[in-house]
Amino acid sequence: MKRWWLLLLCTLPLLGQASGYTQTRYPIVLVHGLFGFDRLLGVDYFYGIPQALSRDGARVYVAQVSATQSSELRGEQLLAQVQQVLAVTGADKVNLIGHSHGGPTIRYVASVAPDMVASATSVGGVHFGSEIADRVRMRVTPGSAEEALAAAAASALSGVISLLSGGGDLPQDPIAALDALTSAGAVNFNAAYPEGLPSRHCGEGPLQAENGVYYFSWSGRGNLTNILDPVDPALVLTGTFFGEANDGLVGVCSSHLGKVLGTHYRMNHLDEVNQSFGIHHLFETDPVSLYRQHANRLKEMGL
């Protein structure tokens, strides 16, 4: 793969300047979601988050996997990058943090290679499917002309995203991504990779699964969170299709994995990664603070 390279933000933190607040034992690897990237035209997907984590001692890498693909294939791409992080740093394990489709992606790696993963944290992850994906799949039937047209348009978009972010050689498959994010797709994936899942609807999963990996999750339940954010109106529209609280693209209960750290945040799906450009609810916790607090949590747990 041409673009296996990770954005290394801090391999040797300046200990004299860093407070150590986010200095986890194991490196942190951030994993983007659907139509995501590591850095696009100089803008981080996790806007300002890698820098905030590395500033206080964390070793942070940002993975780049296919913008549109199945959870398993994205997981295999991530696994290869995790192996390289371990080789570069000499660490035994990594702490994985995945947003949106990055949630199932990190779960795949934690399931097939638990010896390489200390913790897996999902932010707005799609673990039981998204009603948006279900509705799209209902309208775009397999093998139809509509499916071919939608696939072509999505492939063009994901191809441009990957090209501009330096991953033009990554394979794209929007239909595989769509199927992975439906409720039916989630059922199949969860049967194969059940670690960290709650045993009942909208419940909590185990903090530490039988494979030894620690699982965490958090998500938002806002749509219109700041009138200055140009993306919010679209998330208000998509949010109306849900029968439960949601962040505009993922229902709160679908986001549950392992220890649920919170679902009360007035954040929409993009706020969860501090987009657009750091615009978020004026009276809610800064999204960057949640990542810093979680890094400190992992540090205090010896992870």
Side-chain angles (χ1 to χ4, degrees):
M1 179 190 305
K2 181 178 179 181
R3 182 59 188 266
W4 60 263
W5 182 248
L6 304 174
L7 176 61
L8 173 58
L9 291 162
C10 188
T11 51
L12 295 174
L14 299 178
L15 299 180
Q17 298 179 9
S19 72
Y21 182 76
T22 61
Q23 193 171 351
T24 55
R25 176 181 178 184
Y26 302 113
I28 294 173
V29 180
L30 301 173
V31 185
H32 64 76
L34 183 70
F35 290 113
F37 47 88
D38 54 355
R39 171 173 284 196
L40 181 66
L41 299 178
V43 178
D44 292 325
Y45 178 91
F46 291 89
Y47 190 74
I49 293 166
Q51 295 85 348
L53 294 175
S54 63
R55 189 177 302 124
D56 284 338
R59 293 172 291 174
V60 184
Y61 293 78
V62 181
Q64 183 179 39
V65 297
S66 293
T68 55
Q69 258 298 349
S70 68
S71 301
E72 292 86 350
L73 197 147
R74 282 166 51 98
E76 282 295 318
Q77 295 170 352
L78 175 60
L79 177 58
Q81 294 175 47
V82 166
Q83 291 170 331
Q84 291 173 8
V85 168
L86 297 182
V88 168
T89 63
D92 298 322
K93 300 180 179 183
V94 297
N95 291 304
L96 297 174
I97 301 179
H99 174 246
S100 190
H101 197 184
T105 304
I106 65 172
R107 283 176 51 203
Y108 175 88
V109 176
S111 183
V112 302
D115 56 312
M116 299 182 187
V117 181
S119 69
T121 302
S122 170
V123 182
V126 193
H127 303 298
F128 296 92
S130 168
E131 292 189 32
I132 299 301
D134 288 344
R135 287 175 177 270
V136 171
R137 196 20 132 184
M138 286 175 59
R139 300 178 74 86
V140 181
T141 56
S144 66
E146 290 85 355
E147 182 187 68
L149 181 62
S155 292
L157 175 59
S158 57
V160 169
I161 290 172
S162 293
L163 180 63
L164 293 178
S165 61
D169 60 335
L170 293 171
Q172 308 296 333
D173 189 340
I175 300 304
L178 173 62
D179 288 337
L181 298 174
T182 62
S183 299
V187 168
N188 294 332
F189 185 82
N190 292 345
Y193 314 102
E195 296 85 0
L197 293 173
S199 59
R200 60 180 177 83
H201 177 68
C202 219
E204 276 197 332
L207 171 61
Q208 185 177 29
E210 292 183 0
N211 62 358
V213 177
Y214 288 87
Y215 288 85
F216 305 90
S217 63
W218 77 76
S219 64
R221 58 171 63 219
N223 298 153
L224 181 64
T225 59
N226 193 310
I227 60 173
L228 299 179
D229 192 334
V231 181
D232 279 20
L235 294 175
V236 170
L237 176 62
T238 55
T240 62
F241 293 105
F242 288 82
E244 64 172 338
N246 63 87
D247 63 8
L249 290 177
V250 180
V252 164
C253 293
S254 183
S255 72
H256 284 205
L257 180 73
K259 174 64 176 177
V260 179
L261 301 174
T263 60
H264 59 283
Y265 303 108
R266 289 171 291 184
M267 297 180 186
N268 59 38
H269 203 63
L270 291 188
D271 293 335
E272 292 162 355
V273 289
N274 203 35
Q275 294 286 359
S276 302
F277 303 102
I279 300 173
H280 59 85
H281 198 290
L282 294 178
F283 302 107
E284 182 54 270
T285 303
D286 185 337
V288 176
S289 296
L290 295 183
Y291 288 84
R292 283 174 40 80
Q293 291 166 6
H294 188 53
N296 180 257
R297 179 182 294 111
L298 297 175
K299 172 191 172 182
E300 294 301 317
M301 293 177 64
L303 304 177

